């Protein structure tokens, strides 16, 4: 399955050279358990075009995805760290995708972490 993710950032922010944006497709099927990252991509965040920060195409492996609940998650780290820190930007709502289609496009919006 191909997932096109467009990452939006409505807040005005100057991006340092260390800024990195990470996009993940996560399996959130298990109740009361952490999500499982199915696939991810990380890219340097050098500039913002309008409100669009990044557009990325992810290839999700088709192995046994039927019946799974998948969500798209994104993190803009201003320091390049994989850990979410104060001052970073992440998705704060669920962006579900259906595992029964061959291609899907999702726009996710980042919110500041305080």
């Amino acid at each position: 399955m191909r997932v096109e993710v467009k990452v939006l950032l409505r807040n005005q922010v100057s991006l340092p050279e260390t800024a990195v944006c990470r996009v993940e497709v996560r399996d959130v099927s298990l109740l009361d358990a952490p999500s499982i990252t199915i696939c991810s991509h990380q890219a340097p965040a050098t500039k913002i075009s309008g409100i669009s920060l990044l557009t990325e195409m992810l290839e999700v492996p088709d192995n046994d995805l039927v019946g799974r609940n998948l969500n798209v998650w994104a993190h803009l780290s201003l320091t390049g760290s994989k850990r979410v820190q104060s001052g970073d930007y992440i998705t704060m709502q669920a962006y579900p995708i259906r595992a029964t289609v061959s291609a899907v496009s999702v726009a996710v919006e980042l919110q500041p972490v305080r």
Side-chain angles (χ1 to χ4, degrees):
M1 173 172 58
R2 295 172 57 97
V3 180
E4 180 186 46
V5 180
K6 186 174 193 175
V7 181
L8 307 175
L9 182 63
R10 295 191 191 278
N11 298 53
Q12 292 289 359
V13 62
S14 64
L15 297 176
E17 291 182 14
T18 56
V20 173
C21 187
R22 192 169 74 252
V23 179
E24 298 180 355
V25 174
R26 294 178 169 183
D27 181 349
V28 294
S29 301
L30 300 174
L31 298 176
D32 297 331
S35 62
I36 299 168
T37 300
I38 302 295
C39 69
S40 67
H41 180 77
Q42 178 174 301
T46 55
K47 63 181 179 177
I48 301 172
S49 173
I51 61 170
S52 180
L53 175 65
L54 177 75
T55 300
E56 195 61 51
M57 185 66 73
L58 297 173
E59 289 287 338
V60 179
D62 288 334
N63 48 344
D64 200 30
L65 289 180
V66 176
R68 299 287 185 175
N69 296 323
L70 303 178
N71 271 319
V72 176
W73 181 81
H75 171 214
L76 171 62
S77 171
L78 299 182
T79 62
S81 173
K82 289 189 175 187
R83 296 191 64 172
V84 177
Q85 302 173 357
S86 179
D88 287 352
Y89 294 83
I90 62 171
T91 53
M92 298 275 198
Q93 69 182 52
Y95 293 94
I97 56 175
R98 295 173 47 115
T100 57
V101 296
S102 61
V104 65
S105 180
V106 179
V108 301
E109 186 173 341
L110 300 178
Q111 302 294 329
V113 176
R114 302 201 194 287

